[in-house]
């Protein structure tokens, strides 16, 4: 899905998709907000640690991972 499509999904739909994760409802909210923010930026994902950490739900461990991992 594109970021625009993800941002348009209901949080309940995303929560169902990540139901095995801890706190799926809050993860769904974060995924939706993150998708909307990236969609608003023209689909460009930040490429700096600071830019990634500014996204809701992205902590230091996720921000430090190489792309595609």
């Amino acid at each position: 899905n594109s970021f625009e499509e993800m941002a348009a999904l209901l949080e309940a739909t995303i929560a169902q998709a990540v139901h095995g994760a801890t706190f799926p409802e809050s993860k769904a909210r974060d995924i939706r907000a993150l998708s909307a923010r990236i969609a608003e930026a023209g689909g460009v994902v930040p490429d700096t640690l600071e830019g990634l950490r500014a996204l809701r739900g992205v902590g230091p461990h996720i921000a430090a991972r190489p792309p595609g991992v």
Side-chain angles (χ1 to χ4, degrees):
N1 289 344
S2 71
F3 293 111
E4 292 86 4
E5 292 171 327
M6 288 296 290
L9 291 174
L10 295 173
E11 284 182 21
T13 303
I14 300 170
Q16 187 176 35
V18 297
H19 72 277
T22 308
F23 307 113
E25 292 82 12
S26 64
K27 285 195 176 17
R29 182 182 61 243
D30 291 346
I31 289 168
R32 192 164 180 248
L34 176 116
S35 296
R37 189 157 173 197
I38 293 173
E40 289 169 3
V44 178
V45 177
D47 61 357
T48 65
L49 225 100
E50 294 79 20
L52 290 169
R53 291 287 314 275
L55 298 171
R56 179 185 175 100
V58 178
H61 293 102
I62 296 298
R65 287 184 161 229
V69 174

